[in-house]
Amino acid sequence: MKQFLFILLILFSVNLSGQDCTEIYLIRHAEKDRSDIKNKNPHLNGLGKNRALKWVEVFKNVQFDKIFSTNYNRTIETATPISHEKKIEISIYSPSKIDYENFKSEILGEKVLVVGHSNTIPFFVNGLIDKEVYQQIDDFNNANLYKVTICNDNITHSLLYIN
């Protein structure tokens, strides 16, 4: 009887530790070319290209399952070096059309990267955590890294500044 209880306890604890956790990393695009203020879809400038390569280093130990980007030159160019390194295609998303509950269910148990904008990424995080915590990113700040972890009903979030 003691052996049976011991085996049952081990099986139960394995089941608990085997829970499907989701990790979502969110960044704003790297520095954009500001030489033409009328250009609504600029490319990255030299600093931005360097930062995009730096993100590859930051994420070198993260095994992403998916990478999402808005359909703008600067976001795609920020995600592309990571996409190439991880050999993952970039999926295009529209921030205005995100259903956060549906998004979370579609990526359950995965590690994903989301690349967006100063006025979308903080609100994306807020939508994932269902709280108003983060504000719009300053227009000259391209260094924020948000992380949201969801394990069952437990949601944690953090913000790092990677310069």
Side-chain angles (χ1 to χ4, degrees):
M1 182 67 168
K2 286 182 182 179
Q3 274 186 318
F4 175 73
L5 290 175
F6 181 70
I7 291 171
L8 191 59
L9 180 63
I10 289 173
L11 289 175
F12 183 69
S13 65
V14 167
N15 192 17
L16 285 178
S17 65
Q19 63 186 333
D20 284 329
C21 293
T22 305
E23 293 179 20
I24 308 155
Y25 298 80
L26 303 99
I27 59 173
R28 179 192 180 197
H29 62 79
E31 289 84 350
K32 64 185 177 183
D33 180 353
R34 296 174 182 270
S35 61
D36 179 2
I37 59 171
K38 293 178 184 175
N39 185 356
K40 299 294 183 194
N41 191 17
H43 291 275
L44 296 181
N45 64 21
L47 289 172
K49 291 174 185 175
N50 287 337
R51 184 179 299 277
L53 294 174
K54 185 173 186 171
W55 284 123
V56 172
E57 285 300 309
V58 169
F59 295 126
K60 70 181 174 187
N61 295 318
V62 180
Q63 298 304 313
F64 289 118
D65 296 294
K66 294 178 183 161
I67 298 173
F68 296 92
S69 172
T70 59
N71 197 16
Y72 287 87
N73 292 328
R74 58 197 177 273
T75 52
I76 292 169
E77 291 170 6
T78 301
T80 295
I82 302 162
S83 169
H84 287 163
E85 178 70 21
K86 305 292 185 181
K87 297 175 179 43
I88 299 172
E89 287 188 37
I90 298 170
S91 298
I92 302 298
Y93 77 97
S94 174
S96 63
K97 296 180 181 175
I98 291 290
D99 176 325
Y100 296 106
E101 291 307 313
N102 188 44
F103 181 80
K104 289 189 287 189
S105 68
E106 288 179 5
I107 62 165
L108 183 65
E110 297 181 336
K111 291 182 184 177
V112 302
L113 173 65
V114 178
V115 183
H117 306 269
S118 62
N119 63 342
T120 64
I121 287 297
F123 304 109
F124 201 120
V125 176
N126 291 342
L128 292 172
I129 65 175
D130 199 27
K131 293 180 184 173
E132 297 297 319
V133 175
Y134 300 103
Q135 303 300 315
Q136 182 168 324
I137 303 169
D138 180 89
D139 194 39
F140 289 92
N141 175 359
N142 301 86
N144 284 4
L145 167 59
Y146 301 83
K147 183 180 179 189
V148 176
T149 303
I150 306 168
C151 294
N152 297 325
D153 291 330
N154 186 30
I155 299 176
T156 59
H157 54 94
S158 58
L159 168 59
L160 297 172
Y161 187 83
I162 310 293
N163 202 5

